[in-house]
């Protein structure tokens, strides 16, 4: 199925199920080498309608650049295509929250179609949510799987920590650089 058609189906189904919520579609060239899959859009992504344009995205691009990769070289998407948020008790403003199981389950079939259409040489999952979605294993953890290739059906999958994890845990930076090196070796 064509990406445009999958996006149309997904957007229609999403506005029926999550009415009024902006959908952030995947971005990049189909049939490209690497497909990066994140968890869900945040505030900046929702505002601009593009994946990985906020702080975590800038972090991610910084790491990719060290490996000689640019944003235009990869396909970027998320498991959940709407921003998961709750209202702050203090300010009443929107704050991010982790996606709920129901939201994840709703978007997984569309993600699987998207993967088929993009048909990348390598899928890079960023954090636990995409790792579990792609492997269909709800117990898979990034701590166990990061930095090594796993085969899922026809796909080669390379799990990495989520780039936001480095913002909160600077100790992971070295691990991230090492994983990026291994990623390049596997291209
Ligand atoms: N931005 C995204 O698009 N996805 C994430 O998982 C995090 C930030």
């Amino acid at each position: 199925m064509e990406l445009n058609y999958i996006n149309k189906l997904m957007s229609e189904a999403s506005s029926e199920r999550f009415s009024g919520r902006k959908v952030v579609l995947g971005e990049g060239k189909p049939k490209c080498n690497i497909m990066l899959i994140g968890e869900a859009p945040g505030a900046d992504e929702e505002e601009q309608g593009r994946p990985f344009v906020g702080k975590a995205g800038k972090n991610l691009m910084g790491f990719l650049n060290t490996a000689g990769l640019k944003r235009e070289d990869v396909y970027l998407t998320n498991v959940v295509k709407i921003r998961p948020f709750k209202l702050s008790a203090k300010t009443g403003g929107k704050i991010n929250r982790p996606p709920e199981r129901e939201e994840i389950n709703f978007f997984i079939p569309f993600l699987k179609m998207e993967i088929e259409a993009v048909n990348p040489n390598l899928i890079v999952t960023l954090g636990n949510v995409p790792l579990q979605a792609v492997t269909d294993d709800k117990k898979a953890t990034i701590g166990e799987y990061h930095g090594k290739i796993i085969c899922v059906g026809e796909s080669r999958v390379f799990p990495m920590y989520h780039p936001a994890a480095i913002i909160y845990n600077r100790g992971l930076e070295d691990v991230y650089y090492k994983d990026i090196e291994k990623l390049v070796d596997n291209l």
Side-chain angles (χ1 to χ4, degrees):
M1 222 185 283
E2 284 267 318
L3 255 184
N4 285 347
Y5 187 61
I6 297 163
N7 284 338
K8 181 173 173 285
L9 287 182
M10 191 259 299
S11 302
E12 283 169 5
S14 177
S15 51
E16 209 166 284
R17 174 66 194 81
F18 305 104
S19 107
R21 309 279 289 281
K22 186 160 171 181
V23 169
V24 179
L25 298 176
E27 187 176 285
K29 281 185 245 138
K31 321 286 178 210
C32 72
N33 237 355
I34 313 178
M35 177 177 194
L36 292 133
I37 309 177
E39 182 177 294
D44 294 308
E45 288 77 17
E46 182 183 51
E47 197 186 310
Q48 296 183 45
R50 298 178 64 199
F52 287 103
V53 288
K55 198 168 175 198
K58 291 200 175 96
N59 238 358
L60 176 66
M61 289 314 136
F63 286 113
L64 290 179
N65 290 348
T66 64
L69 292 165
K70 296 191 290 292
R71 189 173 172 105
E72 309 81 81
D73 299 329
V74 299
Y75 183 94
L76 290 160
T77 196
N78 285 298
V79 177
V80 170
K81 304 293 201 279
I82 52 167
R83 176 188 177 196
F85 72 88
K86 57 185 177 187
L87 297 178
S88 156
K90 256 198 210 150
T91 65
K94 285 183 186 179
I95 47 175
N96 292 344
R97 60 161 169 78
E100 285 164 5
R101 172 60 39 207
E102 194 227 335
E103 293 165 328
I104 295 169
N105 287 348
F106 174 87
F107 285 103
I108 282 179
F110 297 106
L111 176 71
K112 299 267 168 89
M113 289 191 255
E114 193 179 7
I115 291 172
E116 233 183 278
V118 175
N119 191 21
N121 186 25
L122 189 67
I123 295 171
V124 179
T125 54
L126 301 166
N128 281 326
V129 171
L131 169 65
Q132 293 168 0
V134 167
T135 57
D136 284 323
D137 178 359
K138 292 189 186 69
K139 297 212 174 80
T141 62
I142 195 64
E144 183 186 349
Y145 283 99
H146 76 94
K148 37 192 182 222
I149 293 268
I150 50 177
C151 291
V152 182
E154 307 271 283
S155 302
R156 290 162 73 233
V157 180
F158 187 82
M160 289 185 55
Y161 281 96
H162 193 279
I166 284 95
I167 301 172
Y168 304 112
N169 181 357
R170 284 280 153 201
L172 279 180
E173 211 168 289
D174 274 356
V175 178
Y176 219 82
Y177 277 116
K178 288 205 178 89
D179 285 355
I180 289 268
E181 275 172 30
K182 290 186 212 154
L183 166 69
V184 174
D185 291 343
N186 280 290
L187 285 180

